[in-house]
Amino acid sequence: MITLIKNATIFDPEPIGSRDVLIAGERIAAIGETLDVSGRLVEHIDASGYILIPGLVDVLTHPGGGGGEGGFGNRTAAVGFEAFRDAGITCPVGALGTDSIGRSLDVLYAEIMHLRERGIDAHMLTGAYRVPPPTITGDIARDIALIAPVIGVGEVAVSDHRGSQPTPGELRRIAADARLGGTISGKRGVVLVHVGDGRRGLAPIVEALADSDLPTDCFYPTHVNRRRPLLEEAIAFARNGGFVDITVSTTPEFLDLGEVAARDALREAIAAGAPAERISLSSDAGGSLPVYRAGELAGHSAATPGVLLDLVQDTLREDPDFAAAIIAALTRNPARALGLQRKGRVAAGADADILLLDPDTYALTEVFCRGRRLLNQ
Ligand code: ZN
């Protein structure tokens, strides 16, 4: 299949103006000011004025659902193919979280393979909050080396009362095993670290890295915007060569408690000297969020994948000069952090993961993932 998208306004993630994009099979074959390809096998899409951005790379999702805190009644539902597609997330990374007892990596693997067969290029992490991490084969390095969709380990919890309170040595061993599995199989083998509400912040990661031969960016902390002091630690971590991830899903109560809204957190981090390319934004889709009524905990809802696309659309409307930074943090930056070299770009040779947005409403009108047209409306 060959598809020629004509005259789209492209963000790669920086704006590069109006271009034609040629998709051949699973990849972008060429980009140019005017590409001419004809023949019965070529489908033409007139995208004049439409905004074209890379498919979103979401480093933390819970495709099988999450939560379960406060009892089995609070388990959240699976996210599902349509929800990812309609949110423009062509590369979600699935993980277990708090609950690795009522939920398993085997089931997560099945969810990931379901998304792949439907056309979304999903990946996954082995492990969970707990240490030692649960695995599929019995070993972190073997999971990463031998199971194609497994690209790292996580979300390993630190500074959280629900985590295993891992020692620096335990974190080092997890990172070393992930790195070994990645080295063998040509993956980055990162450790996505859930940073909780605890007073120690990023200290467990910094201590694990001290006196080790591991590079700073083998640990990839997430939820770093949950408090301003933690965000400041994350800025220092990024300046020292790490990648950090900001969570977009939130609630009014979390913001009242001091969480920094995602766009503000990204802007503040860049202004404070964190390298913009070392910061990503993720949804935590499927993870549980507390619901309050009149100040009382009334149950749990689930974070949704749509928050990422909402953020892109709101930024295009309200703060267009910042849109490229937001799009980069949802595409190229997480792809680099995860070692997915063909993701997050609109460039020849990249996977044909492409979104088209309506020029007036910014509504998502087309989704391509590895050249397959998943949405056309
Ligand atoms: Zn988490």
Side-chain angles (χ1 to χ4, degrees), residues 6-64:
K6 297 288 290 180
N7 300 317
T9 302
I10 296 179
F11 284 77
D12 173 37
E14 285 75 30
I16 58 170
S18 176
R19 295 278 191 282
D20 295 350
V21 178
L22 182 68
I23 301 172
E26 297 190 348
R27 305 278 186 93
I28 296 173
I31 298 199
E33 286 186 18
T34 311
L35 300 177
D36 285 313
V37 185
S38 56
R40 274 185 304 151
L41 294 176
V42 183
E43 180 171 9
H44 286 74
I45 297 174
D46 178 11
S48 299
Y50 280 69
I51 293 168
L52 187 154
I53 68 174
L56 306 184
V57 178
D58 190 349
V59 303
L60 180 59
T61 70
H62 302 287

Side-chain angles (χ1 to χ4, degrees), residues 199-220:
R199 60 191 164 79
R200 302 207 63 230
L202 292 188
I205 297 175
V206 173
E207 287 167 15
L209 285 166
D211 298 324
S212 90
D213 297 317
L214 296 164
T216 305
D217 61 7
C218 71
F219 291 110
Y220 187 8

Side-chain angles (χ1 to χ4, degrees), residues 60 62 129 155 194-195 222-223 226 284:
L60 180 59
H62 302 287
Y129 272 26
E155 44 174 332
H194 161 103
V195 185
T222 183
H223 313 316
R226 69 166 76 238
D284 207 6

Side-chain angles (χ1 to χ4, degrees), residues 63 91-95 112 116 121-125 148-151 340 343:
C91 183
V93 179
I112 295 301
R116 285 188 165 214
D121 202 8
H123 294 72
M124 67 178 279
L125 304 174
V150 179
I151 55 171
L340 299 171
K343 299 292 182 194

Side-chain angles (χ1 to χ4, degrees), residues 13 16 76 94 104 165 206 233 259 294-295 303 337 357:
I16 58 170
T76 61
S104 79
Q165 319 304 314
V206 173
E233 286 184 76
E259 187 168 280
L357 309 180

